[in-house]
Amino acid sequence: MRYVTLSAIFWFALDQASKYGVLYGLNLIEIGRMEVFPPLLTFHLGYNTGINFGLFGGGPEVMRFALVILALVICGGLIWWAKSGLTRPIALISAGAVIGGALGNSLDRLIHSAVIDFLNMSCCGIDNPFAFNIADVGIVGGAIGLMLFAETREKAA
């Protein structure tokens, strides 16, 4: 469980520090958009009240709390899975990445009423209208890691 805990703390802290840094350190709240490495990377402030790509956004206020509860249930399931059978360190680190990212986005929902997104990546003439954050990177990377590396102990018959 040490791998899960350390990974979750890392991703949660990195997510929250990056959001604080761009919002207040780089003043993205005021300027809204900043070219970092054009056209590949732009900081573009967005508030996502929905799930991925803003799906189900703009719903009733109860949805914000429902999404927080859903994230906590998923985190609980991942902790149970990690305790009950994940054996490979990379799978435990991946589970922690998902947990840390989910908790980071949940904290945003509780404090800001929406997830703060600021990373926008475009390439090769394709203008990506969507933004994401470091928590999303942890969630997606962790989910891929779990799909690739999760092995569970076999139960005795």
Side-chain angles (χ1 to χ4, degrees), residues 4 7 75 92 107 121 133 148:
V4 174
S7 178
C75 290
L92 295 166
L107 183 62
M121 299 184 80
N133 59 44
L148 295 175

Side-chain angles (χ1 to χ4, degrees), residues 2-127:
R2 181 181 48 164
Y3 288 119
V4 174
T5 303
L6 291 175
S7 178
I9 290 169
F10 171 81
W11 283 100
F12 178 83
L14 184 63
D15 173 64
Q16 292 299 304
S18 68
K19 290 171 183 172
Y20 185 85
V22 297
L23 289 177
Y24 303 108
L26 297 177
N27 201 23
L28 201 60
I29 289 177
E30 295 293 324
I31 59 176
R33 181 178 175 89
M34 176 187 295
E35 298 287 331
V36 178
F37 190 63
L40 298 176
L41 178 62
T42 303
F43 289 168
H44 181 81
L45 183 60
Y47 293 93
N48 183 359
T49 59
I51 56 173
N52 291 4
F53 307 114
L55 293 173
F56 309 115
E61 182 70 10
V62 71
M63 279 303 293
R64 172 171 65 126
F65 297 106
L67 290 172
V68 170
I69 290 169
L70 176 62
L72 294 175
V73 168
I74 291 169
C75 290
L78 285 170
I79 290 168
W80 175 82
W81 187 23
K83 281 184 173 182
S84 69
L86 288 179
T87 58
R88 299 175 75 181
I90 190 70
L92 295 166
I93 291 167
S94 297
V98 174
I99 292 167
L103 293 177
N105 281 344
S106 293
L107 183 62
D108 285 358
R109 289 185 195 285
L110 294 174
I111 293 174
H112 305 285
S113 298
V115 173
I116 296 170
D117 290 328
F118 64 92
L119 296 167
N120 176 269
M121 299 184 80
S122 297
C123 178
C124 313
I126 298 171
D127 187 26

